[in-house]
Amino acid sequence: MPDHRVLDLTRELIARASVTPDDGGCQPLLAERLRAAGFHCESLAFGEVDNLWARRGTAGPLLVFAGHTDVVPAGPPEQWDTPPFTPTERNGRLYGRGAADMKTSIAAFVVAVEEFVAARPDHAGSIGLLITSDEEGPALDGTQRVCETLALRGETPDYCIVGEPTSVETLGDTIKNGRRGSLSGRLTVRGRQGHVAYPHLARNPIHLLAPALVALTTEDWDAGNEYFPPTTFQVSNLHAGTGATNVVPGTAAVDFNFRYSTASTPESLEERVVAILDGHGLDYDIAWTLGGQPFLTPRGELSTALAEAIKAATGVEPALSTTGGTSDGRFIARICPQVVEFGPINASIHQVNEHVNIADMEPLKNAYRGALERLLPVR
């Protein structure tokens, strides 16, 4: 008889409309299951964010599964083929907001540890689950705060698997062993407002900015390294003008972002931007926002064990990758030496009709269980 435990739990989680930062009752459901498997469960609330820390065992090493119950808003429900918070099976897929990002992973975590504990009650080390409802939002009171709490206790993981949807074409094809950092800036260039018919009486900040912007967009910031592609610079917005066609604007503002590798630092990038702008003689201000530091886990015990488990469960040889946006792995990496991410196919995340392949659920669970078996053997 087919095993539908991951599917059934995923359906229960999707049915809870946990739009960030609302957990929607997902964590109490998970805690009930985990307590039955011998886990000590704590609710760690910070601000309006609910977090769950569950642990079984007190010895090391500590292997943690980390994930988030919050989802992005579904958008207009009429754009969905079926209601976004009504889990619906169709053509071998399960549809619903959070199906891929990342309620299937969380369900697979839970069933994997239930099976593992039942089969190996005397396993070595400890198992933890860190579940937040603040990953899709500001990410201030979620995993970051839990990690700070664990660090103060001296309760730090040795290994962590984050259930982000990392697979691209086939379940198991990609493990993320790091993420690039994100550094944003708003550049405001000052000129002098005036009439377009009298340009000698004005200083057009757009014209002043243009050569510097070319220099910024054509600069080679770094060459990357073995694990990371080169750092990229992208302009996301350009603002200027009063709305009138006959007025030279007084200021021009540019929003830009670096996705940077470990070959650069926020400080080095900021210094180089300032040097380029000063070299063009601009009158300007920059407001910087550091969205996330990069993290990297070189090939080692965790990535090897997970890759072997994935191959055994799916027949696929996973590749290591550091592409994509930021994740809560950046916070966990501050207290955990080995952090990787692995989960379902990510093609539909944050989209209308988000879905996951039902046939991938059992292999996903088996991969997580296989990592447990390799890293926490029987004593």
Side-chain angles (χ1 to χ4, degrees):
M1 179 180 294
D3 189 334
H4 297 298
R5 286 176 295 168
V6 177
L7 172 61
D8 291 343
L9 181 52
T10 304
R11 290 177 61 93
E12 288 190 74
L13 293 171
I14 291 172
R16 288 161 167 79
S18 53
V19 177
T20 190
D22 183 9
D23 172 66
C26 294
Q27 291 175 27
L29 171 65
L30 299 172
E32 181 180 2
R33 297 267 302 242
L34 292 168
R35 286 191 187 97
F39 282 77
H40 172 69
C41 297
E42 291 180 76
S43 177
L44 298 173
F46 300 103
E48 60 181 357
V49 175
D50 292 317
N51 303 285
L52 173 64
W53 171 242
R55 178 168 178 166
R56 185 181 194 276
T58 58
L62 170 58
L63 169 58
V64 170
F65 293 100
H68 60 89
T69 51
D70 61 318
V71 299
V72 295
E78 63 273 13
Q79 294 183 7
W80 288 67
D81 292 342
T82 52
F85 296 107
T86 300
T88 305
E89 297 176 43
R90 187 169 67 252
N91 300 323
R93 296 171 172 174
L94 178 66
Y95 288 82
R97 175 57 85 222
D101 189 14
M102 54 176 289
K103 291 183 174 181
T104 296
S105 294
I106 291 175
F109 288 164
V110 172
V111 177
V113 299
E114 288 174 337
E115 289 185 357
F116 177 74
V117 166
R120 302 188 180 190
D122 295 324
H123 63 82
S126 302
I127 308 168
L129 280 86
L130 193 171
I131 309 296
T132 185
S133 64
D134 185 34
E135 197 274 347
E136 300 291 7
L140 298 175
D141 290 325
T143 299
Q144 180 171 216
R145 295 290 299 275
V146 176
C147 287
E148 291 169 357
T149 300
L150 295 178
L152 288 173
R153 296 178 182 177
E155 193 176 4
T156 54
D158 298 283
Y159 313 109
C160 181
I161 299 173
V162 185
E164 288 292 337
T166 61
S167 301
V168 181
E169 300 291 340
T170 303
L171 178 70
D173 61 13
T174 305
I175 296 172
K176 297 288 178 72
N177 66 318
R179 295 276 189 163
R180 296 176 295 174
S182 176
L183 175 66
S184 298
R186 168 162 283 201
L187 167 65
T188 302
V189 176
R190 289 181 288 270
R192 183 182 302 118
Q193 186 172 308
H195 197 294
V196 295
Y198 303 95
H200 59 289
L201 300 178
R203 293 178 64 245
N204 194 317
I206 302 174
H207 295 187
L208 298 171
L209 167 65
L213 199 56
V214 170
L216 291 168
T217 57
T218 57
E219 178 78 359
D220 290 327
W221 299 98
D222 62 46
N225 53 38
E226 177 187 0
Y227 295 103
F228 286 95
T231 292
T232 61
F233 172 93
Q234 287 292 311
V235 172
S236 56
N237 287 283
L238 176 61
H239 315 272
T242 64
T245 59
N246 61 350
V247 178
V248 173
T251 61
V254 178
D255 295 323
F256 61 88
N257 177 265
F258 284 102
R259 291 300 166 108
Y260 67 97
S261 74
T262 52
S264 293
T265 66
E267 294 77 16
S268 69
L269 295 173
E270 291 179 16
E271 290 172 2
R272 291 173 65 186
V273 169
V274 166
I276 290 172
L277 298 174
D278 288 348
H280 285 79
L282 299 181
D283 180 12
Y284 68 91
D285 289 315
I286 302 182
W288 295 99
T289 301
L290 180 60
Q293 295 274 10
F295 77 90
L296 174 67
T297 298
R299 290 176 179 84
E301 282 180 295
L302 178 57
S303 60
T304 298
L306 181 57
E308 290 175 354
I310 291 169
K311 178 68 181 296
T314 68
V316 175
E317 294 269 9
L320 296 181
S321 171
T322 59
T323 58
T326 59
S327 77
D328 275 0
R330 69 191 190 273
F331 303 127
I332 301 168
R334 297 174 187 173
I335 66 169
C336 180
Q338 297 188 54
V339 180
V340 298
E341 304 173 14
F342 171 62
I345 294 172
N346 57 27
S348 67
I349 62 174
H350 292 208
Q351 296 182 17
V352 169
N353 295 325
E354 180 181 351
H355 60 269
V356 66
N357 294 329
I358 295 172
D360 288 345
M361 291 181 170
E362 189 72 5
L364 177 64
K365 178 264 294 179
N366 289 339
Y368 292 147
R369 178 175 171 178
L372 282 163
E373 291 168 349
R374 287 163 174 79
L375 294 167
L376 302 181
V378 175
R379 285 190 288 263

